[in-house]
Amino acid sequence: MNIIIRQAQPDDAKKVAPLIINAIGDIANHMTAQKEPAAVLEKVEDMIRGENTRHSYRYTYVALVGGNIAGTLVLYHGNQAEALDRHLADQLKKQGHNRSIEPEAHTDEWYIDTVSVDPSYQGQGIGSKLFQFAEELVSSQGGGKLSLNVDIDKDGAIRLYKRLGYSIAEPWTIIGEPFHHMVKEIS
């Protein structure tokens, strides 16, 4: 199977937003200040189309199979997080929602915010290709730490990330929920 990974484009938002929401769960509700699924979806689509949030097309990559979006990766450097999250918090404040957006990475590491594969394409190596792409991108930028957060109850995901070379570095909390912060050194 031929998997092509490319930078997302603003017009990919309708296909990418459900994948991001599937991966980040309740964090999407918090980041959009919405509860209704249709409203959350619309706000995440807007974030993807925009340029200044962590889920912008600028930090999003799509895996294409036969021209169809089969998966997505959101990757940014931790030193960008404060500015990206401040922009989102300011947007939410203008809409009457006071939200703090918690950092999900240290400023000295790259951060995999999301890897998500469309259910109809799962089990075909797309997720592995997205992780490989993230590592190649970090390597091309001089290497460094590559991190992610995983819910402490997701044993299967934790085993997968360990097989990929990530190790649990420390506990992390996102919207009051416990996560493992996992890190891999990329040269």
Side-chain angles (χ1 to χ4, degrees):
M1 170 176 33
N2 188 24
I3 301 168
I4 298 169
I5 300 176
R6 66 159 170 80
Q7 179 88 42
Q9 299 298 314
D11 60 356
D12 293 330
K14 285 208 175 295
K15 297 277 189 182
V16 172
L19 295 172
I20 290 174
I21 292 167
N22 184 52
I24 67 174
D26 289 341
I27 296 169
N29 296 18
H30 179 76
M31 292 181 71
T32 61
Q34 300 295 318
K35 292 181 181 171
E36 295 299 320
V40 172
L41 181 64
E42 181 180 334
K43 293 287 186 181
V44 173
E45 287 174 5
D46 288 344
M47 284 185 218
I48 295 164
R49 287 186 199 104
E51 297 200 358
N52 298 308
T53 68
R54 63 173 77 172
H55 293 104
S56 166
Y57 69 91
R58 295 172 58 207
Y59 309 105
T60 301
Y61 302 86
V62 293
L64 302 173
V65 175
N68 298 313
I69 294 176
T72 193
L73 162 73
V74 177
L75 173 73
Y76 57 88
H77 197 280
N79 66 13
Q80 298 170 295
E82 183 183 347
L84 295 171
D85 294 343
R86 185 175 50 250
H87 178 80
L88 177 59
D90 289 348
Q91 282 183 317
L92 291 169
K93 193 171 189 173
K94 287 177 188 173
Q95 298 165 7
H97 305 286
N98 193 15
R99 289 278 192 276
S100 62
I101 309 298
E102 300 162 310
E104 296 184 11
H106 294 292
T107 57
D108 66 339
E109 59 192 22
W110 289 87
Y111 181 63
I112 296 175
D113 179 282
T114 308
V115 171
S116 184
V117 177
D118 184 295
S120 62
Y121 290 96
Q122 289 177 353
Q124 299 178 38
I126 295 164
S128 296
K129 283 278 195 191
L130 288 165
F131 274 99
Q132 179 184 348
F133 179 83
E135 291 181 21
E136 290 169 359
L137 192 58
V138 170
S139 180
S140 75
Q141 297 296 313
K145 295 179 204 169
L146 180 57
S147 68
L148 56 85
N149 290 310
V150 61
D151 186 311
I152 63 169
D153 295 329
K154 294 196 174 178
D155 294 332
I158 294 166
R159 280 192 303 276
L160 169 65
Y161 301 147
K162 284 181 175 180
R163 274 196 313 271
L164 292 174
Y166 292 82
S167 57
I168 296 172
E170 63 189 294
W172 206 274
T173 303
I174 303 171
I175 62 169
E177 298 296 322
F179 286 77
H180 291 304
H181 189 71
M182 299 184 77
V183 177
K184 181 177 183 177
E185 193 67 40
I186 305 297
S187 54

